[in-house]
Amino acid sequence: ELGPYSHFMQKEIHEQPKALSDTIDAVLGAGFSPAVFGDDSGRLAAAEGVKILACGTSYYAGLTAKYWIEAIAGLPCSVEVASEYRYRDAYVNPAHLIVTLSQSGETLDTMEALKRARELGHRTALSICNVSESAIPRASDLVFYTRAGAEIGVASTKAFTTQLVALFTLAITLGKQRGRVDAEAEAGYLEALRYLPGSVQHALNLEPQISSWAQAFASKQHALFLGRGVHYPIALEGALKLKEITYIHAEAYPAGELKHGPLALVDSDMPVVVIAPKDTLLEKVKSNMQEVRARGGELFVFADLDSQFSDSDCVHVIRTPRHVGILSPIVHTIPVQLLAYHVALAKGTDVDKPRNLAKSVTVE
Ligand code: F6R
């Protein structure tokens, strides 16, 4: 069942080009139309905003999507951890579309958050889910099934990146309906999707380089992950993967927040992972990296080919593929998954079944 791989997590990381192209095929066939989400009655067109509810890694997919939905569709988007939303008196605009994200479709808190949204009066709920006929899609009006295939490793990998494709598609669909995405822009987004599986494969090919970093982390107690903009949620995801499978305490910050507290933690015992592709924020990220270096912190940088970093004593750089533009957060997920996986191997922890965790969380 594992083929050439040692663990389900490694196999599932490597299945991402296929999982992504299967999910993208579903989109391309229907061309960013509401039908992709099972909508034939104008429900998406009526959305005045988007509220995303999810837990864990799925929540980080939601945080990433907020950048796309606001920029591409021009709609307000809020993202909330399901276990918080379900117990509070949240602001309600009934025309705000509820989007739940769940790999398993059975996560209790996400299900209860969906029920809470209904109670509060939200009219339409879309489920993005990887398991057909599971509880959450059954309780939703609209459904998009990601085509990641069965995910067995407890740590979510291919489900996350395929959720991102679904959410990117949602942003474009909403943007088209609102007249913000013209034919030319749409063609550009389609092309970005077509190139994505290839760029992800390129990132997977970095595995030997990434594994050469593992030992430097395996002996540490803590790690810090930094990103900015749409790569900040990817830093969060990298920190979560590292803590859940290696038991190393990891935190993620938007790099601009360093000075507001976490910089006090930085010393030579704190490896700092930076996601630094060449986007509009790169110069800002570089100055944040200087702040870390000035405190003796060791930097481990994922930079794409265009971002012109050079290796030095305490600055280690791995080059991800040429900058892929708007889908860059998906491509940059791969190296942080592989890093967590190889650190776990170096530490000898149980990669597929981390202590205290379950694949499907059907209790509160
Ligand atoms: C982390 C992880 C969890 C899940 C979370 C939600 O790697 O797998 O954080 O993402 O338990 O699960 P789903 O998406 O099934 O609702």
Side-chain angles (χ1 to χ4, degrees):
E1 225 178 0
L2 277 172
Y5 301 108
S6 312
H7 297 93
F8 282 106
M9 184 183 179
Q10 189 191 28
K11 174 169 180 266
E12 289 162 4
I13 289 172
H14 281 269
E15 280 170 352
Q16 287 177 107
K18 166 96 166 63
L20 289 165
S21 59
D22 288 350
T23 303
I24 291 165
D25 281 349
V27 174
L28 296 185
F32 300 123
S33 83
V36 171
F37 300 94
D39 180 22
D40 52 15
S41 55
R43 284 175 176 273
L44 291 179
E48 291 174 10
V50 178
K51 182 165 213 45
I52 301 178
L53 302 169
C55 302
T57 286
S58 293
Y59 168 67
Y60 296 148
L63 288 183
T64 313
K66 177 184 169 86
Y67 291 82
W68 289 332
I69 289 169
E70 296 205 346
I72 298 173
L75 286 170
C77 177
S78 63
V79 191
E80 190 160 339
V81 165
S83 58
E84 285 297 311
Y85 177 81
R86 63 177 284 200
Y87 290 116
R88 74 183 184 97
D89 294 315
Y91 164 82
V92 189
N93 175 340
H96 280 190
L97 173 72
I98 295 293
V99 179
T100 58
L101 306 176
S102 178
Q103 187 285 130
S104 61
E106 301 288 348
T107 300
L108 183 75
D109 279 322
T110 308
M111 184 67 188
E112 291 301 321
L114 169 59
K115 289 185 190 159
R116 177 74 181 144
R118 299 274 203 204
E119 262 167 40
L120 291 173
H122 285 274
R123 283 197 284 268
T124 301
L126 162 68
S127 157
I128 294 175
C129 184
N130 194 45
V131 178
S132 59
E133 292 309 313
S134 52
I136 295 170
R138 271 193 272 117
S140 303
D141 309 296
L142 307 176
V143 182
F144 181 100
Y145 286 112
T146 47
R147 300 194 184 177
E151 191 179 67
I152 292 165
V154 163
S156 187
T157 53
K158 58 182 181 169
F160 175 74
T161 47
T162 55
Q163 280 170 345
L164 289 176
V165 164
L167 288 160
F168 179 68
T169 303
L170 178 65
I172 298 164
T173 304
L174 292 169
K176 268 180 76 173
Q177 288 179 325
R178 296 171 55 78
R180 288 181 52 110
V181 174
D182 61 15
E184 191 186 334
E186 184 180 349
Y189 293 137
L190 267 178
E191 178 154 289
L193 280 175
R194 282 205 191 90
Y195 276 112
L196 180 67
S199 304
V200 165
Q201 184 56 54
H202 189 141
L204 287 167
N205 297 343
L206 300 171
E207 187 163 12
Q209 288 177 62
I210 294 169
S211 74
S212 75
W213 283 2
Q215 213 57 48
F217 286 80
S219 57
K220 297 291 196 302
Q221 305 284 327
H222 308 276
L224 189 59
F225 285 68
L226 301 176
R228 286 187 84 129
V230 77
H231 296 97
Y232 164 52
I234 306 309
L236 287 164
E237 171 61 3
L240 178 61
K241 288 283 101 83
L242 192 72
K243 55 191 146 187
E244 69 180 323
I245 64 167
T246 73
Y247 318 145
I248 293 172
H249 167 228
E251 281 197 69
Y253 269 90
E257 276 286 291
L258 263 182
K259 282 196 185 74
H260 301 286
L263 200 52
L265 290 171
V266 172
D267 63 15
S268 58
D269 282 331
M270 173 76 95
V272 180
V273 179
V274 191
I275 301 166
K278 185 172 166 46
D279 60 13
T280 53
L281 291 166
L282 181 63
E283 290 311 313
K284 304 271 177 207
V285 173
K286 283 184 174 169
S287 75
N288 301 139
M289 289 167 55
Q290 290 300 331
E291 294 161 6
V292 171
R293 275 304 300 132
R295 275 84 192 168
E298 191 167 359
L299 289 161
F300 295 83
V301 186
F302 293 114
D304 52 35
L305 279 175
D306 310 283
S307 53
Q308 303 190 337
F309 279 104
S310 41
D311 262 305
S312 63
D313 256 4
C314 286
V315 184
H316 313 281
V317 183
I318 289 181
R319 283 183 200 287
T320 50
R322 180 163 291 284
H323 187 52
V324 298
I326 192 149
L327 296 178
S328 170
I330 302 183
V331 175
H332 284 87
T333 299
I334 311 306
V336 297
Q337 293 171 342
L338 287 170
L339 180 64
Y341 175 72
H342 284 280
V343 177
L345 287 190
K347 290 197 66 167
T349 50
D350 188 343
V351 174
D352 285 334
K353 287 201 172 60
R355 67 187 183 198
N356 311 340
L357 300 178
K359 182 66 185 161
S360 182
V361 186
T362 52
V363 294
E364 189 170 350

